[in-house]
Amino acid sequence: MMSLIRAFRKLGLPKSNDDPPCEGPSSADQVLKPTLPPEIWHTILGFVIRHNGRKSIALEDPFLPPYTTESSPLDDIPTQLDRSSVPLVCHLWRSIAAHIIPEYLRIRSIPQLGAIVRKLEDDPSLGECVQRIDFQIAEPLTTPVCRTLIPRLLRRTPSLMIYVNQNGSDFRPETRTPPEVIKALAESCGPSLKRLEWSNAGEAPAWCDLADLCQHAPNLRTLRLSWIFSYEQPLVGEKPNLPCLETLSLGLIPDPIDNIVDIPITWSPLLDCLTSNPHALPSLRRFDIEIFPADARFFKVHGAKIRTLRTTNWSRPPKLPATLPLLSNLDTLVLAQSTEYVTFPRSHPTLRRICIAPFMEEHVSVPRRLFNPAVLRPLDSVLLSIDGTKLPALEEVRLRNIGILTHIVDEPAWLLRWYRRWSLRNVKFLDMHGRSFGDIKDPDHDVLLNSVRG
């Protein structure tokens, strides 16, 4: 950090009484140097302390490396130290950092939530800076104090664009998002909201609350859900109308445990509601669904709008050949890979890119003896199915080599075989960084190694 301060000194870091001692030219030389205006310092310091994702309205792109548009969940220690050290440098930096840091709030505990609420209530101007809030509080927010703290926070963030809820358990459905929270989102942040996300198993909105919130968020562009707490109170009157919604992402509904809540393991109630109004999703471009619908009604009504489809190859795979022709303008297909096989239709006229990704991107260690039957063989089958389909617009097949597919790079002979096969069709065969698998060295056919072997 001291080296960073010295470098900025040369650019004209303003002196103040709370500056740390710093080696450098004499004070007379410092006076002769120009002082950068606060607007430029604001831009410079933003690169140091901002998290990626504060304006990420769209979901992560599977054709980009991880954490390109979103921050890593575990920031490295030097980055954390830089962020905490910047406000200590001088009064100007402290003032600038005070208005950059609140842009993206990541709240992990109830005491932290309480401290942030008090801070924003003491200085209302800070709340106007907040653009994104990620909640990841482990315990269910059912206590009275929690049900009041979050609404108090949301009433101080009139410019909020992104609300991400990852509260509660990672695996079991536990509780309903308090109606007070939904009401505060709708009343205080509705016009500015562009992305809403419930991406954890622990907490979900009830259908009646979600429908009301959508009515108050006319500019919403991205909606991600893991499950719906309850469909018991259907919306009466006008159906949800989402004129700007471009991305609808419906996740893997968690299995109920101990009958805590009665959850239908299907997205049909929600899809039926959206299907009943053919004008409900005029801007839809991307549709993600982990549990494939049992019928094709949603695709018959909205399929022509969809440009990107993400689904799993284990959820009703026989439905895929009948469904893809309904997506007449489909450009990109993302398949979350598992051990299941998948079939494609005979042809598709517009499909340009295909990405095969792991179901989870967390690192998974697969024993060598299981890698071939559990990973390589099903993957080979998927590629054979794609290769057997007439796809005149296809330009790229990408393997997202992360998670269970991390060690696919340790199979150079297999990768090179498929690289040559796709090259015959003028199709690129790339990894998650956009690098061609044709650059991989095959040790069995390496000229240098063969000369050594004799």
Side-chain angles (χ1 to χ4, degrees):
M1 189 66 195
M2 290 303 296
S3 61
L4 181 66
I5 296 171
R6 294 190 189 101
F8 284 159
R9 274 282 187 213
K10 296 177 182 179
L11 295 174
L13 174 66
K15 289 190 71 65
S16 71
N17 294 332
D18 53 0
D19 280 352
C22 179
E23 298 176 5
S26 66
S27 58
D29 292 335
Q30 288 283 354
V31 172
L32 297 176
K33 290 182 178 179
T35 300
L36 294 178
E39 293 80 6
I40 295 181
W41 279 119
H42 191 281
T43 301
I44 294 173
L45 296 180
F47 288 108
V48 179
I49 59 179
R50 276 195 175 111
H51 292 282
N52 280 348
R54 83 188 200 286
K55 289 186 176 181
S56 295
I57 304 303
L59 298 182
E60 58 276 10
D61 186 346
F63 286 84
L64 293 176
Y67 314 127
T68 303
T69 58
E70 296 279 342
S71 292
S72 168
L74 299 173
D75 289 322
D76 57 277
I77 299 301
T79 302
Q80 294 180 25
L81 291 175
D82 280 351
R83 288 194 176 108
S84 60
S85 299
V86 164
L88 305 178
V89 173
C90 66
H91 177 74
L92 176 63
W93 283 24
R94 184 184 306 120
S95 175
I96 293 173
H99 287 81
I100 294 178
I101 292 174
E103 290 177 351
Y104 186 171
L105 300 178
R106 303 205 288 187
I107 301 174
R108 300 293 182 265
S109 68
I110 295 173
Q112 181 194 15
L113 171 62
I116 291 174
V117 169
R118 290 188 292 272
K119 185 77 172 177
L120 298 188
E121 289 179 343
D122 291 341
D123 187 351
S125 67
L126 297 181
E128 296 175 359
C129 301
V130 179
Q131 299 175 1
R132 173 171 178 167
I133 303 177
D134 287 13
F135 287 98
Q136 194 173 6
I137 301 175
E139 58 266 40
L141 304 182
T142 54
T143 62
V145 63
C146 295
R147 297 171 76 99
T148 58
L149 277 176
I150 297 180
R152 283 170 58 190
L153 172 64
L154 295 174
R155 293 188 190 103
R156 298 290 177 177
T157 58
S159 303
L160 185 68
M161 293 193 302
I162 303 171
Y163 172 88
V164 177
N165 188 314
Q166 295 176 324
N167 292 331
S169 166
D170 291 335
F171 307 105
R172 58 184 293 169
E174 292 180 320
T175 189
R176 169 187 181 180
T177 299
E180 299 92 333
V181 172
I182 304 292
K183 183 179 179 181
L185 268 173
E187 294 179 351
S188 302
C189 314
S192 63
L193 283 174
K194 295 185 178 181
R195 174 176 168 184
L196 286 171
E197 181 173 332
W198 280 266
S199 52
N200 220 36
E203 184 180 322
W207 166 236
C208 57
D209 296 332
L210 179 64
D212 182 65
L213 176 56
C214 288
Q215 297 289 357
H216 287 81
N219 299 307
L220 188 65
R221 288 166 53 184
T222 299
L223 176 62
R224 173 184 271 177
L225 300 167
S226 287
W227 55 292
I228 299 290
F229 182 85
S230 171
Y231 288 101
E232 292 179 0
Q233 301 178 50
L235 182 67
V236 177
E238 187 178 357
K239 299 289 185 181
N241 185 28
L242 299 165
C244 297
L245 193 72
E246 298 175 355
T247 299
L248 177 61
S249 179
L250 306 177
L252 182 63
I253 301 173
D255 287 322
I257 301 174
D258 301 329
N259 296 319
I260 296 174
V261 288
D262 183 17
I263 305 173
I265 310 298
T266 174
W267 286 108
S268 294
L270 175 61
L271 294 179
D272 288 346
C273 180
L274 296 173
T275 302
S276 65
N277 179 8
H279 306 293
L281 302 170
S283 303
L284 185 66
R285 294 294 179 271
R286 172 174 170 176
F287 182 52
D288 298 359
I289 186 156
E290 300 283 358
I291 300 179
F292 212 76
D295 60 65
R297 284 181 297 169
F298 178 84
F299 297 108
K300 289 178 180 177
V301 173
H302 300 293
K305 309 168 191 173
I306 298 173
R307 301 295 186 273
T308 299
L309 173 68
R310 179 182 178 122
T311 188
T312 60
N313 70 342
W314 56 265
S315 176
R316 298 184 181 272
K319 296 287 184 181
L320 200 59
T323 301
L324 287 183
L326 300 175
L327 281 62
S328 55
N329 295 300
L330 186 66
D331 176 87
T332 301
L333 175 66
V334 182
L335 278 176
Q337 170 71 1
S338 68
T339 57
E340 300 292 331
Y341 297 90
V342 67
T343 55
F344 276 70
R346 292 182 179 179
S347 65
H348 195 285
T350 64
L351 188 57
R352 186 175 61 89
R353 302 189 303 174
I354 297 176
C355 176
I356 301 174
F359 180 66
M360 295 185 298
E361 297 201 344
E362 292 81 4
H363 180 70
V364 178
S365 180
V366 180
R368 186 68 188 175
R369 61 186 177 82
L370 297 178
F371 188 80
N372 191 293
V375 178
L376 207 59
R377 197 175 300 159
L379 186 57
D380 205 49
S381 173
V382 173
L383 291 175
L384 282 170
S385 185
I386 297 172
D387 190 39
T389 303
K390 184 179 179 181
L391 301 170
L394 187 64
E395 298 176 0
E396 176 181 333
V397 173
R398 184 170 297 221
L399 296 184
R400 194 163 172 82
N401 49 312
I402 193 173
I404 199 172
L405 299 181
T406 298
H407 296 293
I408 198 73
V409 294
D410 298 331
E411 303 291 337
W414 184 89
L415 290 169
L416 286 172
R417 174 168 61 85
W418 272 109
Y419 166 76
R420 297 186 188 103
R421 192 160 180 167
W422 289 121
S423 295
L424 293 175
R425 295 178 56 171
N426 293 319
V427 174
K428 299 175 184 176
F429 189 42
L430 309 175
D431 70 0
M432 68 177 179
H433 296 284
R435 296 178 299 218
S436 173
F437 283 120
D439 298 332
I440 283 185
K441 300 295 183 183
D442 185 353
D444 293 332
H445 297 85
D446 187 277
V447 176
L448 181 59
L449 284 178
N450 285 340
S451 66
V452 174
R453 294 183 184 115

